[in-house]
Amino acid sequence: MGKRVSYPVEVKLKAIEMRLAGVPIKEVMETLQIRNYTQLKTWMRWHRNGESYRLAQPVGQTYTPRKGAHSQDTPSKLEAENRYLKQQIEVLKKYKELEREWYQKLY
């Protein structure tokens, strides 16, 4: 089984916006680098059902009425943000390495 992927709320909202504008699922997935089309369908279902608060919930955690994403404590919010920023740094490092290799091949 693969690793769980956490998508930022901004990506989820952009995907929903693109689908509402009539952009095909495959194109949305390629543009926003979403791995699984069922994930996109889930976000759309939440949007249709007025459950937009669920877009902010962490991966693997279900929403409970008294413990929704809006009541998440500050340390766990900071941990999630820290994880997200570390992922961004890793992606940038990989990009820089690929760019460096590409540049060396040219010259």
Side-chain angles (χ1 to χ4, degrees), residues 30-101:
E30 289 173 3
T31 304
L32 300 176
Q33 298 178 349
I34 299 169
R35 290 185 179 180
N36 195 333
Y37 76 96
T38 56
Q39 187 63 68
L40 183 55
K41 288 184 176 187
T42 300
W43 298 338
M44 290 300 296
R45 184 178 67 242
W46 289 346
H47 177 73
R48 270 193 314 274
N49 295 339
E51 300 174 333
S52 298
Y53 57 85
R54 294 182 75 176
L55 297 173
Q57 73 188 21
V59 174
Q61 295 184 6
T62 56
Y63 175 78
T64 54
R66 286 179 231 118
K67 295 184 180 182
H70 59 279
S71 67
Q72 189 178 21
D73 60 338
T74 304
S76 59
K77 277 185 182 179
L78 293 175
E79 288 172 6
E81 183 180 3
N82 195 13
R83 253 191 332 272
Y84 174 73
L85 292 173
K86 284 181 181 179
Q87 288 173 348
Q88 282 187 326
I89 290 170
E90 288 302 313
V91 168
L92 290 173
K93 284 180 183 177
K94 288 177 186 177
Y95 174 78
K96 270 301 211 191
E97 183 60 33
L98 289 172
E99 186 179 50
R100 189 178 1 248
E101 289 175 12

Side-chain angles (χ1 to χ4, degrees), residues 11-19 28 32 34 40 43:
V11 170
K12 296 173 186 179
L13 292 173
K14 181 66 176 172
I16 290 170
E17 180 183 313
M18 290 174 74
R19 284 296 297 140
V28 172
L32 300 176
I34 299 169
L40 183 55
W43 298 338

